[in-house]
Structures are given as C-alpha cells and as structure tokens.
Amino acid sequence: MPRKILVPWAMPEIGREVLRRAKVEGLFIHGPKGAPPDPKEWIRKLLEADVLLPRIQRISRKIMIVNPNLRGIANYGVGYEKIDVEAATKLGIPVTNTPGVLTETTADLAWSLLMATARKIPQAHQFVQSGQWERSAGKTIWGLDIGPGGSNKPKVLGIIGFGRIGQAMMRRSRGFKMKVMTYDPYKKAIIEKTRGVEYQDLHNLLKQSDFVTLHTPLTRETHHLIGREELDLMKSTAILINTSRGPVVDEKALVSILKKGKIAGAGLDVFEKEPKLAPGLSKLENVVLLPHLGSGTKDTREQMAVVAVRNAVAMLRGKRPPNIVNPEVFDSREYHRRLGT
Ligand code: NAD
C-alpha cells in the first residue's frame, strides 16, 4: 500500500508540488476557505497516514497512539511546543520543525513592531484616517552619543534568547547604533565571542534596556519568564516586544503594569490564549497588537511548506530528516519497530 502524509490544513501549492515530485500521496483535509478542519475528522484520517504534517494543532500522546505505525510528525513552524515531544520520543516517533527559513522574516516583523510601538505609528495612522491631526511624541530608537551632557545616548536593546531570530535582531540593531545586551544561559560562549554584545543576567538586562525583545522558545522554563517581578524591574520609559510565544509573558501582569504606565509600551505579536486577549489589553493606548504575523509572508510560508514536506518525506522513507528535534529517537527500539528494521 502506498505510504501517505496527512496534512490537516490548507498547505500552499508549492508544498503539494514537492510531494507530487517525490511521488508521495498527500491526504489534505481542511474546512471551507482554508479553515482548520474538524478535529474528529482529521484524527480519524490518521489511521490512513504514515506521517502527520500539522500546523497549529496540539498533538498529544492520545493522538499519536491512534496509528501504531506512525513514522513521524513534521511540524510546520519552528516552535513546536504544541507537540508532546517527550511522548513522541518514548513512542519512537521522530519530530521535525522548520528552522532557518523564517528567521529573517520574523526578525523583520519584530523590528517593525519595535519601531511602530516606539513611534506610535498605528495610533497616528488612525488619527489621520479619522480626519484628526494629532502628533504625540514617540521614543527615539537611533542612538546618538554627543558626549557629556548629551541627552540622547545610544539606546540599549535587550535580547532575551540569542538563537537564530535573536541574532537577526542584533544584526538589525547595528544599523541603529544601539548598544546590545543579551540573556541566554545556553549561548553564553557564543555571546562572549560576539562583537558588540554584552552578556547580562535577566534582571540586569531588564533594568538597563530601553527595548526588551523576546526570542526564546516556549518551554516549562520560559513560561512566564517575564512576570510581575521582571516587569517591575524595567525602566518606566522602556518598551517590551514579544514575537516569541504569548505564555513567555504573564499577560495579566503586563496589562496591570501598562495601565499604571510603569513601562512605556508593548508591541505584541503573540498572546497567552490566542486569539483571546487578557482583559483590558485591547483598550490600552500604549500597545501595538498583531495577530501572530511573525513568519507571515507568502514567500516564507511557502519555504516553510517545502522544508516541512522534505522532513515528512524523509521520515516516510525511514531516513533521517534534515530538521530533527528529538534525535535520540533514532536509537530507540520503538522507532525501529515502527520501521520494521
Ligand atoms: P532558536 O532555537 O534558534 O533560539 C531560541 C533561543 O532561546 C536559543 O538560543 C536558546 O538557548 C534560548 N533559550 C532557551 N531557553 C531560554 C531561557 N530560559 N532564557 C533565555 N534564553 C533561552 O529559535 P528561533 O528560530 O530563534 O525561534 C525562537 C522562537 O520564536 C521559536 O521557538 C518560536 O516560538 C518563536 N517564533 C515565533 C514566530 C511568530 O510568528 N511570531 C515565528 C517564528 C518563531
């Protein structure tokens, strides 16, 4: 029987083309106008598939055991917190993601959000559209050090999580003559070797930064990494940017801090309970809010589809996929049982 890949979302045509060229059958299932399919319907289809290529679905152990011969889960996206990787590893199922192709696009969005929040661009746009001509002062981004007495010192960008996207933010900051501080306990050696970047512990970074930008994955450790205590440490003039994952920030605490004006503003692309927002967040004037747009350009979404399909096809054929997140699975007996090797 030919092996199949289950795609429970409206994958771009280019991904389907890669599947056709690989002579692999795709089981595509989604609602009208590309809406997510009914969970019961796609989970049932899992019995006919050898590899699952999910997009936003939460993949629990319960779903993984529907098909005892499942050969892999190819996540569409770099963040894979919705997949229970621990359970997948125990069951002998490889899991992959799509790193790299979305790095610059996501950093572009994070940088745009930083600028839009600092200069209050959406608010100004709304004024002009509604026939008003109101100009409120924003916050300087480009630092200019004019020596003693100069009020406009280089601004400090605090990057939390110095991986692919965090480093792409550092590259962008160079064009703005900013001073960069970063906190990432797993990248200390790399940070120490990087020119123009200062390693700081989390609390010192928060105390000194004019802009704080978050680029960690969502893990047990980063859940509410930025809570009330951390927000309290930030300067009253500072801006927080989050394009990582909503639960990295305690959204309720953020609303309360923003309401009191204890920080200057926040630019958020991600939320704790998307698409719901914490009470009061949408009413605030010092926020810019986006509907999880980070990697959302046509080109990048297409490249992600190609990468996800390549991973899926490799797993289907029992080969090592290019972007494995649980490589230890290849040594497990369960994995070899699934492959019959
Ligand atoms: P990456 O793995 O290259 O970088 C993540 C960095 O975070 C690593 O350097 C890691 O050491 C660091 N880190 C882990 N735990 C940490 C902690 N407790 N404190 C500080 N640093 C910690 O990943 P990436 O490609 O840069 O992507 C980062 C995240 O951005 C993804 O996991 C995803 O959740 C999110 N993302 C969001 C969008 C969007 O649409 N908004 C798009 C792409 C990625």
Side-chain angles (χ1 to χ4, degrees):
M1 209 171 60
R3 300 197 180 278
K4 295 176 190 166
I5 293 176
L6 176 63
V7 186
W9 57 283
M11 188 163 72
E13 178 51 33
I14 192 163
R16 299 172 194 235
E17 177 58 26
V18 178
L19 272 181
R20 280 195 291 274
R21 271 193 252 143
K23 301 196 171 17
V24 171
E25 192 178 335
L27 281 174
F28 297 98
I29 170 163
H30 55 81
K33 292 188 186 158
D38 171 20
K40 278 197 193 120
E41 202 185 335
W42 74 259
I43 292 170
R44 214 178 313 118
K45 283 275 180 197
L46 206 50
L47 271 170
E48 296 171 40
D50 305 278
V51 171
L52 172 63
L53 199 161
R55 182 178 171 192
I56 42 169
Q57 290 90 355
R58 191 167 289 285
I59 311 297
S60 62
R61 183 179 184 279
K62 216 166 136 191
I63 292 176
M64 294 174 199
I65 60 175
V66 167
N67 179 349
N69 296 316
L70 192 68
R71 286 176 162 226
I73 301 171
N75 186 49
Y76 178 82
V78 68
Y80 48 85
E81 72 284 348
K82 286 199 173 161
I83 298 173
D84 185 343
V85 177
E86 223 173 286
T89 307
K90 278 192 192 140
L91 290 165
I93 303 171
V95 177
T96 61
N97 66 344
T98 63
V101 288
L102 42 61
T103 299
E104 302 300 336
T105 301
T106 307
D108 282 348
L109 194 276
W111 197 265
S112 314
L113 197 47
L114 184 153
M115 295 191 65
T117 312
R119 300 301 300 269
K120 305 181 184 173
I121 291 174
Q123 293 88 335
H125 171 78
Q126 258 183 356
F127 281 138
V128 177
Q129 269 203 326
S130 63
Q132 297 171 67
W133 197 258
E134 204 177 303
R135 289 181 283 180
S136 57
K139 194 176 151 58
T140 309
I141 300 158
W142 209 94
L144 180 68
D145 192 354
I146 59 168
S151 59
N152 186 14
K153 290 215 185 96
K155 294 290 179 281
V156 177
L157 175 68
I159 303 175
I160 299 181
F162 200 60
R164 288 169 292 250
I165 302 171
Q167 291 175 38
M169 288 299 276
M170 171 203 69
R171 290 194 292 277
R172 280 156 184 72
S173 74
R174 295 217 158 126
F176 290 77
K177 294 253 186 277
M178 293 173 104
K179 182 171 174 183
V180 178
M181 293 182 180
T182 175
Y183 167 70
D184 184 333
Y186 305 101
K187 291 281 164 68
K188 249 182 147 165
I190 293 178
I191 294 165
E192 275 158 13
K193 279 192 221 137
T194 309
R195 186 178 52 85
V197 178
E198 213 176 277
Y199 190 87
Q200 288 289 351
D201 65 36
L202 180 61
H203 285 190
N204 276 321
L205 178 146
L206 292 166
K207 281 183 199 161
Q208 296 178 66
S209 297
D210 296 294
F211 299 93
V212 174
T213 185
L214 307 178
H215 302 287
T216 67
L218 174 59
T219 61
R220 276 185 208 119
E221 197 189 33
T222 63
H223 183 268
H224 285 193
L225 182 68
I226 305 298
R228 184 171 298 275
E229 190 194 340
E230 288 72 26
L231 291 164
D232 267 334
L233 294 172
M234 289 176 67
K235 292 183 185 177
S236 61
T237 51
I239 284 178
L240 178 72
I241 303 298
N242 189 11
T243 58
S244 63
R245 285 291 186 259
V248 174
V249 177
D250 178 344
E251 208 168 287
K252 214 172 128 196
L254 177 64
V255 171
S256 137
I257 290 275
L258 284 164
K259 260 189 189 159
K260 293 180 195 146
K262 287 179 86 179
I263 66 169
L268 308 174
D269 183 42
V270 287
F271 303 90
E272 270 202 85
K273 296 194 172 110
E274 293 175 16
K276 280 193 188 149
L277 307 188
L281 183 56
S282 67
K283 301 275 183 292
L284 295 171
E285 284 180 7
N286 47 356
V287 293
V288 177
L289 310 174
L290 302 178
H292 202 141
L293 285 182
S295 61
T297 67
K298 186 169 177 287
D299 302 338
T300 297
R301 289 274 156 89
E302 288 182 351
Q303 286 165 345
M304 288 164 66
V306 171
V307 171
V309 169
R310 283 186 189 147
N311 281 318
V313 170
M315 290 189 284
L316 191 81
R317 293 183 172 150
K319 291 189 184 145
R320 206 181 164 100
N323 307 109
I324 185 77
V325 302
N326 57 345
E328 63 276 26
V329 76
F330 297 123
D331 299 326
S332 77
R333 206 179 296 161
E334 257 308 292
Y335 170 72
H336 290 285
R337 181 204 61 74
R338 281 173 190 271
L339 259 59
T341 53

